[in-house]
Amino acid sequence: MTSQGTFYIRTYGCQMNVHDSDKLANLLHHTGFSRAEDDAEADLLVINTCSIRDKAENQLYSDLGKLREWKEERPGRFLGVGGCVAQQVGDGILSRFSHVDFVFGTHNLRWVPAMLDSARQGQRRGDTKEIRSLDRFDLPQKHTLFESVTPGRAFLTVMEGCDMFCSFCIVPRTRGREISRPAEAILAEARELAQRGVREVTLLGQTVNAYGRHDLGRGRSQQAGTMAFGELLRHLDEIPGIDRIRYTSPHPLFFDEALIEAHAGLESVCPHVHLPLQSGSDLILKKMRRRYGRDRYLEIVDELREAVPSIAITTDVIVGFPGESEADFEDTLDLMKQAEFVDSFSFKYSPRPETAAADLTDQVDPKTSQDRLERLQNVQRGLTLAHHRSRVGEKVEVLIEGPSRRGGGQLRGRDRHHRLVNLLAEDPPSPSPPRSGDLVEVDLVEATPHSLIAKRSSAQQLSRAENPRGKAEPLRI
Ligand code: SAH
Ligand code: SF4
Ligand code: F3S
């Protein structure tokens, strides 16, 4: 195939977007493109956008402003915009930014090559139609040029879309209606990943544990080839080579017995759950339309702890939702301490277009929201450090991701609880140092607020990754 030039993809937002960018990269390889190291070098630049808060959306407009020059610098360059802002704003991006060549929505990845052809003929296109069939998951097999940026790990979509319509959230508008893939397609993809040397899969879905629920509710699971999420985990656990299964993000409403049992009984299901809370106040949860209260949330935490005593629970919290009083906020802090969250992502509420909460008048003033965010993050720092300190002395398995930000020849990886572990350099250096994608056994020797520090155990490496990048040098430690 003749070379079409080089591409670069800028990705914002959640794991689903990261995964979509990978799918697009693979598609572009099939079209004859190769990957550029950065946008300065690229002939085609695609921005995969996020719309979750206004700051994320504004990032796109700021990027596009700066990219006029990039486009004019070299004739024959193309600029595309995809993802959640594209889905939300659609053709509006084409009319506002004349240097954008094409816009594609979250269901239209596979039309990118055709849109590029049109762009070459001077036709600017936007395609943000919602596709309610499974066709959109039919993408080509991995191209030989496709290089995983996460050796040993992979994302695997099980469902997409969201029908929950929480009052603050734009995702149901940007990702469309819930749709679950047939289990057989998911399992086949997992087997293929295992064959490629993947040890850890992260199952993706906007409400991942709602997998198959609509089919079940309509009595058509068999026709659709779906099943309960807990059962899907059981099948995935049986695949040889997959040592770690994670999933994100579950919704508390769909935490059932089968899922708790999967944690208790399946070896490859990791002892970590990211369980978004949003607020610890019943009143605010109701206004958020979350469909659970603080008691039910804490009940799930207890059930998980009973099933796996060491389980690490992390969460998402929003502060300053309209009408949030000091007492509501204190309920959140109180719940965080009760649940002993190991980590949390916390955000100031940001009104989003066409969401129910955007019309609420009792907005919290920005100074109060900022103050609450800082207080919450302070509480979390204490909880995280306490957890890390409780882990020192443990022997754990780490999946190596790459060099540590701490430098000094240290490596970075994650333990089964999804904690960041920095592995000290060996002295003298090992003749066979671990590489990205390897599973190694380490001793936790020190706790910091952000990570655990470890030394390599005398025990040997647990498993060596195939080197998916081929050319990568072994990492020195
Ligand atoms: N599906 C997940 C959430 C995905 S969005 C769930 O149901 O919990 C990731 C996080 O962004 C949310 O958990 C929430 O904490 C935050 N978020 C979503 N909309 C937001 C908004 N309008 N303002 C501030 N934070 C928001
Ligand atoms: Fe948004 Fe709620 Fe759906 Fe999560 S469950 S994606 S917060 S609407
Ligand atoms: Fe952002 Fe869309 Fe994900 S809004 S968080 S990229 S689903």
Side-chain angles (χ1 to χ4, degrees):
M1 192 183 295
T2 54
S3 169
Q4 302 277 321
T6 60
F7 71 89
Y8 187 79
I9 307 176
R10 264 190 218 174
T11 309
Y12 297 104
C14 61
Q15 290 96 328
M16 187 77 88
N17 257 18
V18 174
H19 192 36
D20 280 350
S21 289
D22 262 359
K23 291 179 189 167
L24 181 60
N26 188 47
L27 202 58
L28 289 169
H29 283 310
H30 280 279
T31 317
F33 278 88
S34 54
R35 202 190 274 272
E37 287 297 324
D38 53 29
D39 42 38
E41 189 194 299
D43 302 307
L44 164 66
L45 176 61
V46 178
I47 310 183
N48 194 4
T49 60
C50 172
S51 183
I52 199 79
R53 285 166 288 274
D54 60 353
K55 211 167 141 196
E57 181 179 348
N58 290 335
Q59 178 74 47
L60 169 69
Y61 306 131
S62 135
D63 278 16
L64 288 180
K66 292 180 199 147
L67 283 167
R68 263 183 214 285
E69 225 174 285
W70 175 88
K71 183 85 190 280
E72 283 159 11
E73 232 167 53
R74 206 199 292 162
R77 271 183 161 166
F78 294 98
L79 177 59
V81 177
C84 288
V85 182
Q87 189 67 42
Q88 175 203 336
V89 182
D91 289 353
I93 295 174
L94 289 177
S95 37
R96 195 169 147 197
F97 298 95
S98 57
H99 58 306
V100 173
D101 296 292
F102 60 94
V103 171
F104 59 103
T106 53
H107 294 180
N108 307 95
L109 274 183
R110 60 194 183 129
W111 305 125
V112 168
M115 290 172 131
L116 253 171
D117 281 344
S118 303
R120 286 204 175 95
Q121 285 153 31
Q123 201 194 340
R124 299 166 70 224
R125 275 175 59 184
D127 197 345
T128 52
K129 258 194 318 292
E130 179 173 352
I131 300 173
R132 292 201 186 180
S133 75
L134 289 160
D135 295 358
R136 65 181 205 251
F137 295 103
D138 289 340
L139 289 164
Q141 292 285 314
K142 291 275 185 300
H143 191 274
T144 46
L145 277 177
F146 180 84
E147 287 182 353
S148 168
V149 286
T150 56
R153 296 172 290 143
F155 291 126
L156 174 46
T157 304
V158 303
M159 61 82 72
E160 258 183 26
C162 183
D163 292 348
M164 297 300 287
F165 291 90
C166 300
S167 65
F168 53 82
C169 185
I170 199 163
V171 170
R173 274 101 188 154
T174 64
R175 289 280 170 182
R177 302 287 56 78
E178 272 176 45
I179 183 166
S180 295
R181 297 175 68 195
E184 200 33 65
I186 296 167
L187 296 172
E189 195 173 327
R191 282 184 215 110
E192 196 212 311
L193 289 170
Q195 269 161 19
R196 292 170 65 91
V198 167
R199 303 269 77 90
E200 176 182 300
V201 292
T202 301
L203 310 180
L204 294 182
Q206 267 72 38
T207 49
V208 67
N209 58 336
Y211 174 77
R213 67 155 172 155
H214 286 325
D215 300 325
L216 203 67
R218 291 174 197 133
R220 56 182 304 277
S221 300
Q222 215 164 4
Q223 270 161 284
T226 57
M227 52 183 67
F229 186 63
E231 202 181 327
L232 181 69
L233 290 177
R234 201 162 49 73
H235 286 285
L236 285 162
D237 179 66
E238 284 164 9
I239 297 177
I242 301 291
D243 300 318
R244 293 176 167 198
I245 302 173
R246 305 187 185 283
Y247 56 91
T248 196
S249 280
H251 190 291
L253 190 64
F254 309 112
F255 248 89
D256 58 10
E257 223 169 287
L259 182 46
I260 305 274
E261 273 169 20
H263 275 280
L266 303 178
E267 215 176 308
S268 52
V269 175
C270 286
H272 166 233
V273 177
H274 183 73
L275 187 60
L277 166 70
Q278 315 304 357
S279 169
S281 151
D282 278 338
L283 193 82
I284 297 298
L285 285 171
K286 200 157 191 194
K287 287 172 98 181
M288 287 177 160
R289 301 190 184 156
R290 287 293 288 181
R291 303 200 233 171
Y292 55 85
R294 59 181 283 135
D295 287 351
R296 174 60 192 144
Y297 187 94
L298 284 167
E299 199 174 82
I300 299 169
V301 169
D302 284 347
E303 285 167 9
L304 282 166
R305 289 245 154 83
E306 210 167 296
V308 184
S310 78
I311 203 158
I313 301 175
T314 57
T315 200
D316 291 345
V317 187
I318 297 177
V319 299
F321 184 82
E324 184 189 66
S325 67
E326 176 61 23
D328 292 321
F329 175 64
E330 279 169 17
D331 279 350
T332 301
L333 294 185
D334 176 73
L335 195 152
M336 289 177 70
K337 291 176 201 157
Q338 273 195 61
E340 294 183 32
F341 291 129
V342 165
D343 217 339
S344 58
F345 295 100
S346 43
F347 313 100
K348 282 185 277 185
Y349 168 70
S350 162
R352 305 304 294 129
E354 290 176 57
T355 58
D359 298 329
L360 298 176
T361 49
D362 44 356
Q363 300 285 331
V364 173
D365 79 274
K367 222 174 132 285
T368 307
S369 293
Q370 181 61 31
D371 177 58
R372 287 180 186 165
L373 188 72
E374 286 167 20
R375 283 162 64 200
L376 187 148
Q377 290 177 345
N378 224 0
V379 167
Q380 186 58 61
R381 259 191 296 278
L383 292 171
T384 304
L385 188 58
H387 172 81
H388 285 174
R389 286 194 173 135
S390 76
R391 305 280 311 278
V392 172
E394 280 180 31
K395 207 180 261 309
V396 301
E397 171 209 280
V398 171
L399 182 60
I400 301 295
E401 292 179 0
S404 161
R405 287 209 192 119
R406 290 160 55 99
Q410 294 186 27
L411 294 176
R412 185 195 69 227
R414 299 258 167 192
D415 70 358
R416 295 181 72 83
H417 294 77
H418 207 242
R419 290 290 78 207
L420 182 62
V421 177
N422 285 300
L423 187 52
L424 295 170
E426 281 180 87
D427 187 22
S430 150
S432 63
R435 297 177 306 193
S436 304
D438 286 347
L439 280 174
V440 294
E441 195 170 83
V442 305
D443 293 306
L444 300 177
V445 293
E446 198 187 320
T448 81
H450 301 291
S451 70
L452 286 153
I453 312 293
K455 275 193 179 138
R456 192 143 175 225
S457 304
S458 41
Q460 273 319 295
Q461 191 150 288
L462 300 171
S463 107
R464 168 131 272 186
E466 280 173 38
N467 188 350
R469 296 179 80 95
K471 61 184 185 220
E473 283 291 301
L475 297 160
R476 290 247 76 87
I477 68 161

